[in-house]
Amino acid sequence: LLLGALCVFLVLMPMYESIAVTPLNERHAEIARLDQQIGTKTVDEEIAFRQQAKLARWKKISLPPNELDAQRLYQEWLTDLIEIAGFEQPRVAPGQMMPKGKIYHTVPVQIEAEATLEQVCRFLYLFHRADLLHRIANISSLESLEGNQGNPLLKVVLIAEGLSLAETPDRKWLFRETELAQPLEDDAT
């Protein structure tokens, strides 16, 4: 009887495994694989959400989408910035705009001037402080015109490059401006 039960057990055990245990193990493996896919998709979704937020921010600080407006406004702003920094004999010239498909285009502006190191630092500080999508693309010259003593005048040649995203709202300004209700008096504070 014991030998008969052992034979039945040995015959039925592989059938039990193939009918119940193997499919159950396959289901557990499938659940584990799907859980891993869910984790990966969740991470991908979080990354996409962060990238969307970054793109929305870039659209806010982009130059206007119209190439000519972007170039004109950026060049005017840089000219004002040079004046604030105290550069002497500035020459501000637009460069060749470079479209990158229908996504964005770069707006380079070449600046040549004479300035002290302090004035260059002030310009760069104000430049990087501005809430614009831009960079200093190249500084090709920053050499002394008067030797190395004291605070010599430097010959400055650099290229500033703004970025204009195509899918930004059209506007005719870089920064919002407010008009005064009446002109300020000379002695006003």
Side-chain angles (χ1 to χ4, degrees):
L1 184 67
L2 187 58
L3 186 60
L6 182 62
C7 287
V8 168
F9 177 75
L10 290 175
V11 170
L12 293 180
M13 187 61 175
M15 287 176 50
Y16 170 73
E17 265 190 38
S18 67
I19 292 173
V21 175
T22 301
L24 189 59
N25 288 340
E26 288 173 356
R27 293 288 183 205
H28 283 298
E30 179 71 10
I31 289 170
R33 186 183 64 77
L34 291 174
D35 281 343
Q36 185 179 15
Q37 280 184 348
I38 289 170
T40 302
K41 297 290 183 193
T42 302
V43 169
D44 290 347
E45 184 179 34
E46 290 172 4
I47 290 170
F49 182 73
R50 281 192 299 249
Q51 296 297 344
Q52 279 182 322
K54 190 184 285 187
L55 182 59
R57 167 96 174 104
W58 288 350
K59 285 181 179 182
K60 287 181 181 178
I61 63 173
S62 166
L63 298 177
N66 179 290
E67 291 178 16
L68 296 177
D69 286 342
Q71 188 175 50
R72 178 182 52 80
L73 292 169
Y74 191 53
Q75 187 173 344
E76 285 175 5
W77 178 75
L78 285 169
T79 301
D80 291 345
L81 197 63
I82 287 168
E83 186 177 310
I84 291 168
F87 283 22
E88 297 175 15
Q89 301 179 12
R91 282 193 16 220
V92 180
Q96 178 67 36
M97 288 187 283
M98 301 295 294
K100 302 294 183 184
K102 294 183 180 185
I103 299 169
Y104 70 94
H105 60 274
T106 59
V107 181
V109 175
Q110 181 169 336
I111 298 168
E112 293 183 32
E114 295 176 0
T116 64
L117 183 58
E118 181 182 339
Q119 292 168 331
V120 172
C121 289
R122 179 163 172 74
F123 171 80
L124 292 173
Y125 171 75
L126 294 171
F127 181 88
H128 287 292
R129 194 168 171 236
D131 204 15
L132 282 175
L133 194 55
H134 68 155
R135 68 184 180 135
I136 298 294
N138 186 349
I139 298 178
S140 59
S141 177
L142 197 58
E143 61 187 49
S144 175
L145 297 172
E146 304 171 347
N148 296 329
Q149 301 300 320
N151 192 13
L153 210 52
L154 304 172
K155 178 181 180 184
V156 179
V157 180
L158 62 86
I159 296 176
E161 186 176 71
L163 197 72
S164 174
L165 297 175
E167 293 185 15
T168 58
D170 195 20
R171 63 183 192 276
K172 303 294 182 202
W173 41 265
L174 287 185
F175 303 103
R176 295 200 183 269
E177 296 177 4
T178 302
E179 289 191 28
L180 297 173
Q182 56 190 353
L184 289 176
E185 300 296 326
D186 290 339
D187 61 346
T189 57

